[in-house]
């Protein structure tokens, strides 16, 4: 087995009983294998299992989900509600590029989801982060600058999500679910 068709890169060779086989990882998205029999007996051969990615590797999961969400024929077969829940959790816990990538996937899910596939109220912690960033931006008007990538990503996510819930006719429930009671009282008083 190898990651190249000429079997020169990341080569792993096995022969004999299953006890001689070891788990291994190959980089990339393609596995090349060659099975050769010496015809010494009439056994059926070998069986091996290939698993994409490695548990805990963020970039691998991101790339796989991004590709799956880009395939229109695949999306209807995905458990979007569960993926949504996981990605919101990742976006809330991670920082830096990993958070941005999780928000990117959330945006893709919102754009391809139907009716009420996703519990949009799970966005509340991200909404609070976004409103905090917006409030800080308003206080710093004396020194205008470029929005941080996270601020831009959240702005796009909430803009697209708001348009989506408007299409679904549930904007009021969505806005009520995201805001705190204190915030709603302040808005009502204004």
């Amino acid at each position: 087995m190898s990651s190249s068709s000429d079997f020169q890169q990341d080569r792993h060779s096995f022969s004999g009983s299953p006890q001689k086989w070891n788990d291994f990882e190959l980089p990339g998205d393609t596995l090349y294998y060659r099975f050769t029999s010496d015809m010494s007996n009439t056994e059926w051969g070998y069986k091996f299992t290939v698993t994409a990615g490695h548990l805990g590797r963020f970039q691998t999961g991101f790339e796989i989900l991004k590709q799956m969400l880009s395939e229109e024929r695949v999306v209807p077969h995905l458990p979007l509600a569960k993926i949504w829940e996981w990605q919101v959790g990742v976006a809330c816990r991670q920082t830096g590029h990993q958070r941005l990538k999780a928000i990117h996937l959330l945006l893709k899910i919102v754009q391809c989801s139907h009716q009420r596939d996703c519990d949009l109220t799970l966005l509340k912690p991200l909404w609070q982060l976004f409103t905090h960033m917006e409030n800080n931006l308003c206080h710093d008007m004396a020194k205008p600058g470029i929005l941080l990538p996270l601020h831009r990503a959240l702005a796009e996510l909430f803009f697209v999500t708001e348009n989506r819930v408007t299409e679904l006719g549930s904007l009021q429930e969505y806005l009520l679910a995201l805001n705190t009671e204190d915030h709603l009282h302040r808005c009502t008083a204004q």
Side-chain angles (χ1 to χ4, degrees), residues 36-139:
T36 307
S37 172
D38 63 4
M39 303 289 203
S40 63
N41 58 33
T42 57
E43 300 291 330
W44 62 269
Y46 286 100
K47 175 181 175 182
F48 58 91
T49 303
V50 177
T51 305
H54 185 276
L55 192 61
R57 294 237 174 118
F58 185 89
Q59 186 62 30
T60 301
F62 170 75
E63 292 298 334
I64 291 169
L65 274 173
K66 183 175 79 170
Q67 185 62 39
M68 289 170 55
L69 291 167
S70 298
E71 299 283 335
E72 287 183 31
R73 60 187 169 81
V74 174
V75 171
H77 304 286
L78 296 175
L80 286 181
K82 198 62 164 164
I83 294 170
W84 174 263
E85 187 179 330
W86 293 334
Q87 288 307 304
V88 170
V90 169
C92 289
R93 287 188 307 274
Q94 294 294 341
T95 59
H97 291 294
Q98 291 183 343
R99 176 180 272 172
L100 291 174
K101 288 177 178 184
I103 292 170
H104 173 79
L105 292 176
L106 290 173
L107 190 57
K108 286 182 100 39
I109 294 169
V110 166
Q111 291 168 330
C112 69
S113 65
H114 298 292
Q115 294 302 320
R116 302 187 189 282
D117 283 339
C118 307
D119 181 0
L120 298 176
T121 63
L122 294 175
L123 291 174
K124 190 171 188 168
L126 293 175
W127 175 253
Q128 290 170 343
L129 174 62
F130 176 67
T131 55
H132 178 73
M133 294 175 98
E134 285 285 299
N135 291 337
N136 286 345
L137 185 67
C138 291
H139 295 307

